[in-house]
Amino acid sequence: MRHLAIATALLTMAGPTAAAPRPAVEHFGRPALNGQPLPFSDAVRVGDIVYLSGQIGVGADGKLPEGIEAQTKQGMDNIGDVLKRAGLTYSDVFHCTAFLADMKDWPAFNKVYVPYFPAGKMPARSAFGANGLALGAKLEIECQAYAGQK
């Protein structure tokens, strides 16, 4: 009986289930464009932070839609897809960097960008004017998200 009590105490201290330790660095997705693999991961988790690679507004067909608003929507949807694969949502995003080919597009970009996040919980953000984005895109957005205990 005493051995049973000791075994029960040890199991209780170990927790309900012993989960396998998470790798120190975890990679999510290997993007491709027109069937060709790209030289980076969609996201990388290190500890409690997931670093998302920059996303342009390219669709599943490998093409960019016309205009800043359509490209922003597609880019944000692409970010949402990566977040989902990592088990996260837009509410977990705490910082983004926006690269705009033309800073005159700032208001139109914000019009599409803002509604993706919970009201009153916008991530911190930096923005830069850029000369020459991949595929001639009008913008690129990269984000970081918290993936620790909630």
Side-chain angles (χ1 to χ4, degrees), residues 41-57:
S41 296
D42 285 325
V44 176
R45 179 180 183 156
V46 180
D48 290 342
I49 306 299
V50 173
Y51 300 88
L52 283 75
S53 289
Q55 294 289 327
I56 60 175

Side-chain angles (χ1 to χ4, degrees), residues 25-32 37-45 50-55 82 85 140 142-143:
V25 177
E26 186 176 2
H27 297 82
F28 296 94
R30 178 91 192 269
L38 297 173
F40 52 87
S41 296
D42 285 325
V44 176
R45 179 180 183 156
V50 173
Y51 300 88
L52 283 75
S53 289
Q55 294 289 327
V82 175
R85 279 183 288 177
E140 183 169 338
E142 68 176 24
C143 300

Side-chain angles (χ1 to χ4, degrees), residues 95-100 103 106 109-110 124-130 140:
H95 182 263
C96 292
T97 303
F99 305 89
L100 300 172
M103 290 304 287
W106 178 262
F109 165 76
N110 281 323
R125 189 176 82 188
S126 303
F128 300 93
E140 183 169 338

